[in-house]
Amino acid sequence: MRPLIAGNWKMHGSLRASVALAESVRAGADDLAAELLVCPPFPYIQAVAMSLLGQPVAVGAQDCHPAVQGAHTGDVAAPMLRDCGATHVILGHSERRAGHGETDVVVKAKGAAAIAAGLTPVICVGETLAQREAGQAEAVVRAQVAGSLPDGFAEAGGIVAYEPVWAIGTGKTPTEADIAAIHAALRQAVGPDTRLLYGGSVKPANAAAILALPHVDGALVGGASLIAEDFLAIARAAG
Ligand code: PEP
């Protein structure tokens, strides 16, 4: 499976900085073994997609609403994202599960909306530190996968990202054995064809070791995706 290195730009940057970052990523994107995806904030998606038109860097969003359209002030529908040039959408990120009360049911509905709009959903799962310390990590991610993946997910090329909540933006990562164990459980749950990304403090220094683990088909990168050279170094580490 071709690895995918995805950048989650979160709520960072400006219009000018986002286009400049996209262009710097594009400049290093030729001849990589990995596929690249960048996920800017909503207002910058179209400009970034225009600057990457025809280039080997895909563009995604960081969320969508489950409805196609309607009275949902401040929300964005999946077909609108598609219209603006997005091909992917991150769903169920822990910052949305925790900060916006998103449940598995909501994430599943958003995933179904994404697929219906022709977007590839990247559905995030991951345990909290308390859950890991209680020995519940595998059970938690299995339950999230069972509850969050919509019908037709595998057929639509849906992607799962394992992101331990306590590893996001903290500089901490699980041991390689712990990542491998969760990815083996995820592989069993989703089958052979679904890409499994690891996310949580992936940096150029640890990327090669993480990306070499069995059933790790790429990475979802937050902080390091905001520096083109770091993001590209992670992509090169994918082989
Ligand atoms: C993320 O938020 O998806 C993420 C993995 O962040 P970071 O790489 O900064 O830990």
Side-chain angles (χ1 to χ4, degrees):
M1 205 171 318
R2 193 169 176 210
L4 173 70
I5 306 299
N8 175 10
W9 293 358
K10 307 195 184 187
M11 197 174 72
H12 290 295
S14 63
L15 178 58
R16 184 187 295 221
S18 294
V19 171
L21 178 55
E23 286 176 354
S24 299
V25 170
R26 180 195 54 74
D30 292 326
D31 305 322
L32 286 176
E35 284 177 36
L36 298 182
L37 167 68
V38 295
C39 301
F42 282 141
Y44 308 145
I45 288 173
Q46 186 176 10
V48 167
M50 292 290 280
S51 78
L52 293 174
L53 208 61
Q55 302 297 323
V57 185
V59 180
Q62 302 169 20
D63 182 40
C64 71
H65 193 277
V68 169
Q69 59 177 301
H72 303 289
T73 303
D75 283 313
V76 178
M80 296 173 179
L81 299 172
R82 185 92 174 119
D83 220 9
C84 290
T87 53
H88 294 65
V89 58
I90 298 169
L91 296 171
H93 191 283
S94 66
E95 288 155 12
R96 295 207 60 86
R97 289 180 186 263
H100 297 262
E102 291 191 6
T103 61
D104 287 344
V105 171
V106 169
V107 175
K108 184 174 182 174
K110 291 181 173 197
I115 291 170
L119 295 171
T120 302
V122 181
I123 294 190
C124 303
V125 298
E127 81 285 357
T128 63
L129 187 57
Q131 289 166 332
R132 172 154 289 274
E133 286 175 348
Q136 298 166 346
E138 187 176 320
V140 166
V141 300
R142 277 187 185 275
Q144 287 176 328
V145 163
S148 306
L149 271 48
D151 292 345
F153 183 79
E155 295 75 6
I159 297 163
V160 175
Y162 168 53
E163 297 209 306
V165 178
W166 53 274
I168 295 176
T170 60
K172 296 179 186 153
T173 53
T175 65
E176 289 169 23
D178 286 342
I179 296 173
I182 295 289
H183 277 247
L186 286 171
R187 173 65 66 220
Q188 204 181 40
V190 300
D193 299 326
T194 296
R195 265 183 176 148
L196 300 175
L197 310 184
Y198 168 78
S201 296
V202 176
K203 308 285 177 211
N206 62 18
I210 292 171
L211 291 165
L213 294 170
H215 308 300
V216 175
D217 307 313
L220 179 53
V221 185
S225 73
L226 297 171
I227 301 163
E229 202 33 64
D230 285 359
F231 186 62
L232 290 166
I234 292 167
R236 285 192 294 270

PDB file of all heavy atoms in Angstrom, residues 5-12 21 37-41 60-63 90 93-96 124 163 168 219-226 231:
ATOM      1  N   ILE A   5       1.168  10.603   3.742  1.00  0.00           N
ATOM      2  CA  ILE A   5       1.578  11.524   4.796  1.00  0.00           C
ATOM      3  C   ILE A   5       0.626  12.721   4.715  1.00  0.00           C
ATOM      4  O   ILE A   5       0.586  13.438   3.700  1.00  0.00           O
ATOM      5  CB  ILE A   5       3.047  11.974   4.617  1.00  0.00           C
ATOM      6  CG1 ILE A   5       3.978  10.750   4.500  1.00  0.00           C
ATOM      7  CG2 ILE A   5       3.459  12.876   5.780  1.00  0.00           C
ATOM      8  CD1 ILE A   5       3.990   9.819   5.706  1.00  0.00           C
ATOM      9  N   ALA A   6      -0.145  12.898   5.773  1.00  0.00           N
ATOM     10  CA  ALA A   6      -1.192  13.924   5.790  1.00  0.00           C
ATOM     11  C   ALA A   6      -0.844  14.995   6.812  1.00  0.00           C
ATOM     12  O   ALA A   6      -0.446  14.684   7.935  1.00  0.00           O
ATOM     13  CB  ALA A   6      -2.537  13.279   6.142  1.00  0.00           C
ATOM     14  N   GLY A   7      -1.015  16.252   6.422  1.00  0.00           N
ATOM     15  CA  GLY A   7      -0.739  17.365   7.324  1.00  0.00           C
ATOM     16  C   GLY A   7      -2.029  18.009   7.800  1.00  0.00           C
ATOM     17  O   GLY A   7      -2.878  18.383   6.983  1.00  0.00           O
ATOM     18  N   ASN A   8      -2.172  18.091   9.101  1.00  0.00           N
ATOM     19  CA  ASN A   8      -3.336  18.757   9.705  1.00  0.00           C
ATOM     20  C   ASN A   8      -2.876  20.127  10.184  1.00  0.00           C
ATOM     21  O   ASN A   8      -2.206  20.233  11.206  1.00  0.00           O
ATOM     22  CB  ASN A   8      -3.848  17.898  10.871  1.00  0.00           C
ATOM     23  CG  ASN A   8      -4.970  18.571  11.636  1.00  0.00           C
ATOM     24  OD1 ASN A   8      -5.505  19.595  11.193  1.00  0.00           O
ATOM     25  ND2 ASN A   8      -5.327  18.002  12.777  1.00  0.00           N
ATOM     26  N   TRP A   9      -3.255  21.158   9.423  1.00  0.00           N
ATOM     27  CA  TRP A   9      -2.762  22.502   9.742  1.00  0.00           C
ATOM     28  C   TRP A   9      -3.558  23.147  10.874  1.00  0.00           C
ATOM     29  O   TRP A   9      -3.210  24.256  11.311  1.00  0.00           O
ATOM     30  CB  TRP A   9      -2.790  23.380   8.488  1.00  0.00           C
ATOM     31  CG  TRP A   9      -1.825  22.959   7.412  1.00  0.00           C
ATOM     32  CD1 TRP A   9      -0.925  21.916   7.475  1.00  0.00           C
ATOM     33  CD2 TRP A   9      -1.645  23.553   6.122  1.00  0.00           C
ATOM     34  NE1 TRP A   9      -0.210  21.843   6.308  1.00  0.00           N
ATOM     35  CE2 TRP A   9      -0.627  22.829   5.450  1.00  0.00           C
ATOM     36  CE3 TRP A   9      -2.242  24.618   5.453  1.00  0.00           C
ATOM     37  CZ2 TRP A   9      -0.208  23.143   4.155  1.00  0.00           C
ATOM     38  CZ3 TRP A   9      -1.828  24.949   4.163  1.00  0.00           C
ATOM     39  CH2 TRP A   9      -0.822  24.219   3.523  1.00  0.00           C
ATOM     40  N   LYS A  10      -4.623  22.491  11.288  1.00  0.00           N
ATOM     41  CA  LYS A  10      -5.459  23.002  12.406  1.00  0.00           C
ATOM     42  C   LYS A  10      -5.831  24.471  12.151  1.00  0.00           C
ATOM     43  O   LYS A  10      -6.054  24.853  11.020  1.00  0.00           O
ATOM     44  CB  LYS A  10      -4.739  22.793  13.737  1.00  0.00           C
ATOM     45  CG  LYS A  10      -4.290  21.346  13.933  1.00  0.00           C
ATOM     46  CD  LYS A  10      -3.917  21.034  15.339  1.00  0.00           C
ATOM     47  CE  LYS A  10      -3.390  19.603  15.418  1.00  0.00           C
ATOM     48  NZ  LYS A  10      -3.166  19.160  16.782  1.00  0.00           N
ATOM     49  N   MET A  11      -5.898  25.290  13.207  1.00  0.00           N
ATOM     50  CA  MET A  11      -6.328  26.690  13.046  1.00  0.00           C
ATOM     51  C   MET A  11      -5.094  27.596  13.073  1.00  0.00           C
ATOM     52  O   MET A  11      -4.965  28.473  13.911  1.00  0.00           O
ATOM     53  CB  MET A  11      -7.322  27.064  14.160  1.00  0.00           C
ATOM     54  CG  MET A  11      -8.132  28.319  13.865  1.00  0.00           C
ATOM     55  SD  MET A  11      -9.394  28.614  15.120  1.00  0.00           S
ATOM     56  CE  MET A  11      -8.404  29.126  16.523  1.00  0.00           C
ATOM     57  N   HIS A  12      -4.195  27.309  12.118  1.00  0.00           N
ATOM     58  CA  HIS A  12      -2.958  28.081  12.063  1.00  0.00           C
ATOM     59  C   HIS A  12      -2.840  28.800  10.721  1.00  0.00           C
ATOM     60  O   HIS A  12      -3.397  28.364   9.719  1.00  0.00           O
ATOM     61  CB  HIS A  12      -1.743  27.143  12.209  1.00  0.00           C
ATOM     62  CG  HIS A  12      -1.600  26.568  13.579  1.00  0.00           C
ATOM     63  ND1 HIS A  12      -1.328  27.311  14.691  1.00  0.00           N
ATOM     64  CD2 HIS A  12      -1.723  25.288  14.019  1.00  0.00           C
ATOM     65  CE1 HIS A  12      -1.266  26.531  15.758  1.00  0.00           C
ATOM     66  NE2 HIS A  12      -1.508  25.294  15.376  1.00  0.00           N
ATOM     67  N   LEU A  21       2.974  27.873   2.176  1.00  0.00           N
ATOM     68  CA  LEU A  21       3.309  26.548   2.725  1.00  0.00           C
ATOM     69  C   LEU A  21       2.982  25.459   1.705  1.00  0.00           C
ATOM     70  O   LEU A  21       3.782  24.541   1.479  1.00  0.00           O
ATOM     71  CB  LEU A  21       2.540  26.335   4.040  1.00  0.00           C
ATOM     72  CG  LEU A  21       2.717  25.001   4.759  1.00  0.00           C
ATOM     73  CD1 LEU A  21       4.183  24.693   5.042  1.00  0.00           C
ATOM     74  CD2 LEU A  21       1.908  25.015   6.078  1.00  0.00           C
ATOM     75  N   LEU A  37      -0.940  14.818   1.503  1.00  0.00           N
ATOM     76  CA  LEU A  37      -2.239  15.473   1.694  1.00  0.00           C
ATOM     77  C   LEU A  37      -2.030  16.614   2.671  1.00  0.00           C
ATOM     78  O   LEU A  37      -1.363  16.429   3.698  1.00  0.00           O
ATOM     79  CB  LEU A  37      -3.233  14.447   2.285  1.00  0.00           C
ATOM     80  CG  LEU A  37      -4.552  14.969   2.852  1.00  0.00           C
ATOM     81  CD1 LEU A  37      -5.439  15.527   1.732  1.00  0.00           C
ATOM     82  CD2 LEU A  37      -5.303  13.846   3.587  1.00  0.00           C
ATOM     83  N   VAL A  38      -2.571  17.793   2.356  1.00  0.00           N
ATOM     84  CA  VAL A  38      -2.528  18.901   3.318  1.00  0.00           C
ATOM     85  C   VAL A  38      -3.954  19.340   3.627  1.00  0.00           C
ATOM     86  O   VAL A  38      -4.819  19.378   2.745  1.00  0.00           O
ATOM     87  CB  VAL A  38      -1.683  20.092   2.801  1.00  0.00           C
ATOM     88  CG1 VAL A  38      -0.223  19.684   2.661  1.00  0.00           C
ATOM     89  CG2 VAL A  38      -2.213  20.662   1.499  1.00  0.00           C
ATOM     90  N   CYS A  39      -4.211  19.663   4.901  1.00  0.00           N
ATOM     91  CA  CYS A  39      -5.563  20.006   5.340  1.00  0.00           C
ATOM     92  C   CYS A  39      -5.549  21.386   5.998  1.00  0.00           C
ATOM     93  O   CYS A  39      -5.329  21.511   7.209  1.00  0.00           O
ATOM     94  CB  CYS A  39      -6.088  18.949   6.309  1.00  0.00           C
ATOM     95  SG  CYS A  39      -6.136  17.294   5.574  1.00  0.00           S
ATOM     96  N   PRO A  40      -5.765  22.435   5.199  1.00  0.00           N
ATOM     97  CA  PRO A  40      -5.758  23.798   5.727  1.00  0.00           C
ATOM     98  C   PRO A  40      -7.077  24.114   6.443  1.00  0.00           C
ATOM     99  O   PRO A  40      -8.046  23.376   6.324  1.00  0.00           O
ATOM    100  CB  PRO A  40      -5.644  24.672   4.471  1.00  0.00           C
ATOM    101  CG  PRO A  40      -5.592  23.754   3.299  1.00  0.00           C
ATOM    102  CD  PRO A  40      -6.011  22.392   3.751  1.00  0.00           C
ATOM    103  N   PRO A  41      -7.125  25.246   7.149  1.00  0.00           N
ATOM    104  CA  PRO A  41      -8.401  25.718   7.702  1.00  0.00           C
ATOM    105  C   PRO A  41      -9.407  25.969   6.564  1.00  0.00           C
ATOM    106  O   PRO A  41      -9.013  26.285   5.437  1.00  0.00           O
ATOM    107  CB  PRO A  41      -8.025  27.047   8.382  1.00  0.00           C
ATOM    108  CG  PRO A  41      -6.551  26.961   8.624  1.00  0.00           C
ATOM    109  CD  PRO A  41      -5.998  26.130   7.500  1.00  0.00           C
ATOM    110  N   GLY A  60      -7.333  18.494   1.793  1.00  0.00           N
ATOM    111  CA  GLY A  60      -8.461  18.021   2.590  1.00  0.00           C
ATOM    112  C   GLY A  60      -8.924  19.085   3.565  1.00  0.00           C
ATOM    113  O   GLY A  60      -8.255  20.100   3.777  1.00  0.00           O
ATOM    114  N   ALA A  61     -10.090  18.815   4.172  1.00  0.00           N
ATOM    115  CA  ALA A  61     -10.624  19.684   5.226  1.00  0.00           C
ATOM    116  C   ALA A  61     -10.423  18.983   6.571  1.00  0.00           C
ATOM    117  O   ALA A  61      -9.967  17.844   6.628  1.00  0.00           O
ATOM    118  CB  ALA A  61     -12.096  19.956   4.968  1.00  0.00           C
ATOM    119  N   GLN A  62     -10.781  19.683   7.623  1.00  0.00           N
ATOM    120  CA  GLN A  62     -10.571  19.150   8.980  1.00  0.00           C
ATOM    121  C   GLN A  62     -11.874  18.735   9.651  1.00  0.00           C
ATOM    122  O   GLN A  62     -11.859  18.262  10.795  1.00  0.00           O
ATOM    123  CB  GLN A  62      -9.863  20.202   9.835  1.00  0.00           C
ATOM    124  CG  GLN A  62      -8.529  20.638   9.274  1.00  0.00           C
ATOM    125  CD  GLN A  62      -7.964  21.854   9.989  1.00  0.00           C
ATOM    126  OE1 GLN A  62      -8.361  22.163  11.116  1.00  0.00           O
ATOM    127  NE2 GLN A  62      -7.048  22.544   9.359  1.00  0.00           N
ATOM    128  N   ASP A  63     -12.997  18.931   8.954  1.00  0.00           N
ATOM    129  CA  ASP A  63     -14.305  18.583   9.516  1.00  0.00           C
ATOM    130  C   ASP A  63     -15.341  18.824   8.429  1.00  0.00           C
ATOM    131  O   ASP A  63     -15.067  19.510   7.443  1.00  0.00           O
ATOM    132  CB  ASP A  63     -14.625  19.479  10.732  1.00  0.00           C
ATOM    133  CG  ASP A  63     -15.957  19.127  11.385  1.00  0.00           C
ATOM    134  OD1 ASP A  63     -16.265  17.915  11.488  1.00  0.00           O
ATOM    135  OD2 ASP A  63     -16.696  20.045  11.775  1.00  0.00           O
ATOM    136  N   ILE A  90     -10.711  15.151   7.320  1.00  0.00           N
ATOM    137  CA  ILE A  90     -10.410  14.556   8.625  1.00  0.00           C
ATOM    138  C   ILE A  90     -11.682  14.629   9.461  1.00  0.00           C
ATOM    139  O   ILE A  90     -12.332  15.670   9.520  1.00  0.00           O
ATOM    140  CB  ILE A  90      -9.280  15.343   9.332  1.00  0.00           C
ATOM    141  CG1 ILE A  90      -7.982  15.295   8.521  1.00  0.00           C
ATOM    142  CG2 ILE A  90      -9.059  14.814  10.739  1.00  0.00           C
ATOM    143  CD1 ILE A  90      -6.907  16.270   9.034  1.00  0.00           C
ATOM    144  N   HIS A  93     -11.419  14.016  14.860  1.00  0.00           N
ATOM    145  CA  HIS A  93     -10.151  14.340  15.544  1.00  0.00           C
ATOM    146  C   HIS A  93     -10.446  14.533  17.028  1.00  0.00           C
ATOM    147  O   HIS A  93     -11.503  15.037  17.401  1.00  0.00           O
ATOM    148  CB  HIS A  93      -9.553  15.612  14.933  1.00  0.00           C
ATOM    149  CG  HIS A  93      -8.158  15.873  15.386  1.00  0.00           C
ATOM    150  ND1 HIS A  93      -7.875  16.390  16.633  1.00  0.00           N
ATOM    151  CD2 HIS A  93      -6.966  15.664  14.781  1.00  0.00           C
ATOM    152  CE1 HIS A  93      -6.559  16.498  16.760  1.00  0.00           C
ATOM    153  NE2 HIS A  93      -5.985  16.056  15.658  1.00  0.00           N
ATOM    154  N   SER A  94      -9.498  14.173  17.869  1.00  0.00           N
ATOM    155  CA  SER A  94      -9.776  14.237  19.319  1.00  0.00           C
ATOM    156  C   SER A  94     -10.059  15.661  19.769  1.00  0.00           C
ATOM    157  O   SER A  94     -10.791  15.875  20.738  1.00  0.00           O
ATOM    158  CB  SER A  94      -8.603  13.657  20.109  1.00  0.00           C
ATOM    159  OG  SER A  94      -7.464  14.459  19.958  1.00  0.00           O
ATOM    160  N   GLU A  95      -9.514  16.650  19.041  1.00  0.00           N
ATOM    161  CA  GLU A  95      -9.806  18.037  19.414  1.00  0.00           C
ATOM    162  C   GLU A  95     -11.259  18.379  19.123  1.00  0.00           C
ATOM    163  O   GLU A  95     -11.827  19.278  19.747  1.00  0.00           O
ATOM    164  CB  GLU A  95      -8.838  18.992  18.703  1.00  0.00           C
ATOM    165  CG  GLU A  95      -7.444  18.889  19.312  1.00  0.00           C
ATOM    166  CD  GLU A  95      -6.305  19.288  18.397  1.00  0.00           C
ATOM    167  OE1 GLU A  95      -6.555  19.877  17.326  1.00  0.00           O
ATOM    168  OE2 GLU A  95      -5.147  18.988  18.762  1.00  0.00           O
ATOM    169  N   ARG A  96     -11.875  17.674  18.197  1.00  0.00           N
ATOM    170  CA  ARG A  96     -13.305  17.872  17.936  1.00  0.00           C
ATOM    171  C   ARG A  96     -14.147  16.968  18.849  1.00  0.00           C
ATOM    172  O   ARG A  96     -15.193  17.379  19.347  1.00  0.00           O
ATOM    173  CB  ARG A  96     -13.637  17.621  16.464  1.00  0.00           C
ATOM    174  CG  ARG A  96     -12.969  18.644  15.547  1.00  0.00           C
ATOM    175  CD  ARG A  96     -13.741  18.847  14.283  1.00  0.00           C
ATOM    176  NE  ARG A  96     -15.084  19.316  14.545  1.00  0.00           N
ATOM    177  CZ  ARG A  96     -15.412  20.612  14.699  1.00  0.00           C
ATOM    178  NH1 ARG A  96     -14.501  21.556  14.594  1.00  0.00           N
ATOM    179  NH2 ARG A  96     -16.665  20.949  14.942  1.00  0.00           N
ATOM    180  N   CYS A 124     -10.431   9.627  12.798  1.00  0.00           N
ATOM    181  CA  CYS A 124      -9.439   9.532  13.876  1.00  0.00           C
ATOM    182  C   CYS A 124     -10.011   8.792  15.081  1.00  0.00           C
ATOM    183  O   CYS A 124     -11.171   9.007  15.460  1.00  0.00           O
ATOM    184  CB  CYS A 124      -9.022  10.920  14.323  1.00  0.00           C
ATOM    185  SG  CYS A 124      -8.349  11.933  12.993  1.00  0.00           S
ATOM    186  N   GLU A 163      -4.608   8.056  16.702  1.00  0.00           N
ATOM    187  CA  GLU A 163      -3.970   9.209  17.335  1.00  0.00           C
ATOM    188  C   GLU A 163      -4.224   9.162  18.843  1.00  0.00           C
ATOM    189  O   GLU A 163      -5.282   9.620  19.308  1.00  0.00           O
ATOM    190  CB  GLU A 163      -4.543  10.507  16.782  1.00  0.00           C
ATOM    191  CG  GLU A 163      -4.302  10.702  15.301  1.00  0.00           C
ATOM    192  CD  GLU A 163      -4.222  12.174  14.945  1.00  0.00           C
ATOM    193  OE1 GLU A 163      -5.140  12.923  15.276  1.00  0.00           O
ATOM    194  OE2 GLU A 163      -3.210  12.554  14.362  1.00  0.00           O
ATOM    195  N   ILE A 168      -0.780  13.855  21.130  1.00  0.00           N
ATOM    196  CA  ILE A 168      -0.999  14.924  20.157  1.00  0.00           C
ATOM    197  C   ILE A 168      -0.446  16.241  20.690  1.00  0.00           C
ATOM    198  O   ILE A 168      -0.884  16.734  21.734  1.00  0.00           O
ATOM    199  CB  ILE A 168      -2.502  15.055  19.817  1.00  0.00           C
ATOM    200  CG1 ILE A 168      -2.979  13.791  19.104  1.00  0.00           C
ATOM    201  CG2 ILE A 168      -2.749  16.288  18.968  1.00  0.00           C
ATOM    202  CD1 ILE A 168      -4.457  13.758  18.814  1.00  0.00           C
ATOM    203  N   ALA A 219       1.239   8.637   8.028  1.00  0.00           N
ATOM    204  CA  ALA A 219       1.170   9.425   9.260  1.00  0.00           C
ATOM    205  C   ALA A 219       0.236  10.609   9.085  1.00  0.00           C
ATOM    206  O   ALA A 219       0.108  11.160   7.984  1.00  0.00           O
ATOM    207  CB  ALA A 219       2.561   9.932   9.635  1.00  0.00           C
ATOM    208  N   LEU A 220      -0.424  10.967  10.186  1.00  0.00           N
ATOM    209  CA  LEU A 220      -1.178  12.216  10.260  1.00  0.00           C
ATOM    210  C   LEU A 220      -0.352  13.135  11.152  1.00  0.00           C
ATOM    211  O   LEU A 220      -0.085  12.804  12.310  1.00  0.00           O
ATOM    212  CB  LEU A 220      -2.584  11.971  10.833  1.00  0.00           C
ATOM    213  CG  LEU A 220      -3.491  13.196  10.983  1.00  0.00           C
ATOM    214  CD1 LEU A 220      -3.610  13.987   9.691  1.00  0.00           C
ATOM    215  CD2 LEU A 220      -4.890  12.763  11.445  1.00  0.00           C
ATOM    216  N   VAL A 221       0.055  14.256  10.577  1.00  0.00           N
ATOM    217  CA  VAL A 221       1.062  15.113  11.214  1.00  0.00           C
ATOM    218  C   VAL A 221       0.458  16.472  11.528  1.00  0.00           C
ATOM    219  O   VAL A 221      -0.111  17.115  10.634  1.00  0.00           O
ATOM    220  CB  VAL A 221       2.272  15.287  10.262  1.00  0.00           C
ATOM    221  CG1 VAL A 221       3.376  16.078  10.949  1.00  0.00           C
ATOM    222  CG2 VAL A 221       2.793  13.932   9.771  1.00  0.00           C
ATOM    223  N   GLY A 222       0.569  16.903  12.771  1.00  0.00           N
ATOM    224  CA  GLY A 222       0.073  18.222  13.149  1.00  0.00           C
ATOM    225  C   GLY A 222       1.184  19.249  13.088  1.00  0.00           C
ATOM    226  O   GLY A 222       1.506  19.785  12.027  1.00  0.00           O
ATOM    227  N   GLY A 223       1.818  19.498  14.226  1.00  0.00           N
ATOM    228  CA  GLY A 223       2.814  20.564  14.335  1.00  0.00           C
ATOM    229  C   GLY A 223       3.877  20.549  13.247  1.00  0.00           C
ATOM    230  O   GLY A 223       4.187  21.595  12.650  1.00  0.00           O
ATOM    231  N   ALA A 224       4.435  19.385  12.965  1.00  0.00           N
ATOM    232  CA  ALA A 224       5.535  19.316  11.984  1.00  0.00           C
ATOM    233  C   ALA A 224       5.055  19.556  10.555  1.00  0.00           C
ATOM    234  O   ALA A 224       5.882  19.788   9.664  1.00  0.00           O
ATOM    235  CB  ALA A 224       6.262  17.971  12.091  1.00  0.00           C
ATOM    236  N   SER A 225       3.745  19.540  10.327  1.00  0.00           N
ATOM    237  CA  SER A 225       3.257  19.793   8.962  1.00  0.00           C
ATOM    238  C   SER A 225       3.243  21.280   8.636  1.00  0.00           C
ATOM    239  O   SER A 225       3.015  21.666   7.492  1.00  0.00           O
ATOM    240  CB  SER A 225       1.859  19.194   8.765  1.00  0.00           C
ATOM    241  OG  SER A 225       0.869  19.936   9.446  1.00  0.00           O
ATOM    242  N   LEU A 226       3.474  22.118   9.646  1.00  0.00           N
ATOM    243  CA  LEU A 226       3.468  23.571   9.413  1.00  0.00           C
ATOM    244  C   LEU A 226       4.828  24.066   8.927  1.00  0.00           C
ATOM    245  O   LEU A 226       4.982  25.238   8.591  1.00  0.00           O
ATOM    246  CB  LEU A 226       3.077  24.304  10.698  1.00  0.00           C
ATOM    247  CG  LEU A 226       1.663  23.994  11.207  1.00  0.00           C
ATOM    248  CD1 LEU A 226       1.440  24.596  12.584  1.00  0.00           C
ATOM    249  CD2 LEU A 226       0.613  24.504  10.214  1.00  0.00           C
ATOM    250  N   PHE A 231       7.811  18.462   7.150  1.00  0.00           N
ATOM    251  CA  PHE A 231       6.763  17.619   6.567  1.00  0.00           C
ATOM    252  C   PHE A 231       7.350  16.756   5.444  1.00  0.00           C
ATOM    253  O   PHE A 231       7.086  15.547   5.361  1.00  0.00           O
ATOM    254  CB  PHE A 231       5.637  18.517   6.045  1.00  0.00           C
ATOM    255  CG  PHE A 231       4.425  17.785   5.547  1.00  0.00           C
ATOM    256  CD1 PHE A 231       3.674  16.974   6.393  1.00  0.00           C
ATOM    257  CD2 PHE A 231       4.020  17.912   4.221  1.00  0.00           C
ATOM    258  CE1 PHE A 231       2.537  16.308   5.924  1.00  0.00           C
ATOM    259  CE2 PHE A 231       2.893  17.256   3.754  1.00  0.00           C
ATOM    260  CZ  PHE A 231       2.155  16.447   4.610  1.00  0.00           C
TER     261      PHE A 231
END
